[in-house]
Amino acid sequence: MARIIGIANQKGGVGKTTTAINLAASLAVLEMKTLLVDADPQANSTTGVGFDLHNIQQSLYDCMVNETPARDVILKTDIPNLDVIPSHIDLVGAEIEMINYPNRENVLKHILDPVRNDYDFIIIDCSPSLGLITVNALTAADSVVVPVQAEFFALEGLGKLLNTIKIVQSRLNTNLVIEGILMTMYDGRLRLCNQVVNEVRRHFEDMVFDTIIHRNTKLSEAPSVGKPAILYDAESKGSVNYLNLAKEILQRNNLTRIRQEERILTLDNEQPQQ
């Protein structure tokens, strides 16, 4: 059964969509069957893995409002093991259309439940707000990754997000945990970046990932050609950072040993019989 991870921060420009795309792609490269759910009406995760929005016939909006099954909407990307549920600008209106739904906070959970056994990980790219769709993502998720920019206003709004997570934990999803706080857009040459990272680590201790995402031109360029960084330039610092993040998440969830055992079992089965 898939572990569902929401990528959330209501503050814009912190590398949330970049993290969703590249974490999902890195998990797929590590042979984890992964579904990327684009729950942001801007649909940047959808275009970031190579899809033209003009050619999208059905999206997450159809699942949430028209009750279209997720399997009818899922698209395969160019990366083996990586699928996507695309988004669309129509998703902006979904919150209003869902306002009178019974159990409206659980709509996304019910959409993902039937496909959950098909994947190892489901990554949800949340919109930069704390609206109903983000609450849906937090209700459906097992855990949350919170990207935080290594800049002066890093902690601005973080308290509000953590408070929202607590409310969801107490009322809607008691099993929700914080997977980790991820420092993004780090520039080691700047004293301020180092001060911010130290401050966040002092406040949140073990909640902060060891992996830090550095500022990297390849990470910025990759979406313009519709590719995750690992396809655009596998040796770039950004690609390596996100691969390390994926490995850290696997280690935190004790999945590396299981994957190694599966590989050994597969190799044993492929041995010619004596």
Side-chain angles (χ1 to χ4, degrees):
M1 183 180 285
R3 181 168 184 81
I4 302 178
I5 302 177
I7 314 293
N9 192 333
Q10 83 279 10
K11 192 172 184 293
V14 297
K16 181 178 54 57
T17 295
T18 299
T19 295
I21 293 169
N22 290 291
L23 173 59
S26 297
L27 287 167
V29 166
L30 293 171
E31 299 181 9
M32 292 287 171
K33 192 147 178 55
T34 306
L35 175 65
L36 174 60
V37 179
D38 191 349
D40 184 348
Q42 296 175 81
N44 290 335
S45 281
T46 304
T47 56
V49 292
F51 291 99
D52 185 341
L53 295 182
H54 296 100
N55 297 330
I56 300 291
Q57 301 297 316
Q58 292 182 304
S59 68
L60 182 61
Y61 171 84
D62 296 283
C63 296
M64 298 192 88
V65 174
N66 301 327
E67 299 184 9
T68 304
R71 283 196 178 90
D72 294 350
V73 176
I74 290 172
L75 301 172
K76 292 195 173 297
T77 71
D78 290 338
I79 298 180
N81 297 320
L82 180 60
D83 296 343
V84 63
I85 292 181
S87 184
H88 193 274
I89 190 64
D90 288 348
L91 200 58
V92 169
E95 294 198 4
I96 297 168
E97 295 184 57
M98 290 164 56
I99 204 74
N100 292 320
Y101 280 22
N103 295 320
R104 60 182 181 269
E105 297 89 358
N106 288 289
V107 172
L108 185 55
K109 184 179 188 299
H110 295 320
I111 290 166
L112 296 178
D113 277 349
V115 298
R116 195 163 178 177
N117 287 328
D118 300 343
Y119 296 95
D120 297 306
F121 282 92
I122 296 175
I123 306 296
I124 307 174
D125 180 18
C126 301
S127 60
S129 71
L130 294 179
L132 183 56
I133 293 175
T134 299
V135 170
N136 260 265
L138 297 177
T139 304
D142 297 307
S143 62
V144 192
V145 169
V146 183
V148 173
Q149 198 172 354
E151 292 192 355
F152 182 70
F153 293 114
L155 298 176
E156 185 185 82
L158 189 55
K160 192 173 181 182
L161 174 65
L162 295 177
N163 191 48
T164 301
I165 290 170
K166 281 181 184 174
I167 292 169
V168 171
Q169 285 171 327
S170 63
R171 299 181 187 174
L172 298 166
N173 182 2
T174 53
N175 297 320
L176 181 67
V177 296
I178 294 174
E179 189 78 38
I181 294 170
L182 176 68
M183 301 305 302
T184 63
M185 303 183 188
Y186 174 79
D187 187 338
R189 298 169 297 180
L190 302 178
R191 183 187 300 170
L192 177 63
C193 280
N194 292 300
Q195 287 174 341
V196 169
V197 169
N198 290 336
E199 185 74 4
V200 172
R201 286 212 160 119
R202 188 172 65 81
H203 267 87
F204 298 104
E205 300 175 339
D206 292 344
M207 284 169 62
V208 184
F209 285 109
D210 293 333
T211 304
I212 294 176
I213 309 301
H214 291 71
R215 278 196 182 276
N216 181 248
T217 53
K218 300 297 182 184
L219 275 180
S220 304
E221 291 170 2
S224 66
V225 293
K227 291 182 179 179
I230 205 156
L231 277 192
Y232 183 63
D233 185 347
E235 295 181 357
S236 69
K237 199 168 192 81
S239 297
V240 172
N241 288 163
Y242 276 110
L243 206 53
N244 287 337
L245 174 64
K247 289 174 182 174
E248 188 172 348
I249 287 174
L250 291 177
Q251 287 168 353
R252 284 189 177 208
N253 290 287
N254 296 317
L255 289 171
T256 46
R257 184 176 54 81
I258 294 168
R259 182 56 68 183
Q260 286 167 355
E261 286 173 357
E262 284 178 359
R263 190 176 289 115
I264 291 165
L265 193 62
T266 304
L267 290 171
D268 286 346
N269 291 337
E270 288 174 354
Q271 292 293 328
Q273 297 296 318
Q274 296 297 324

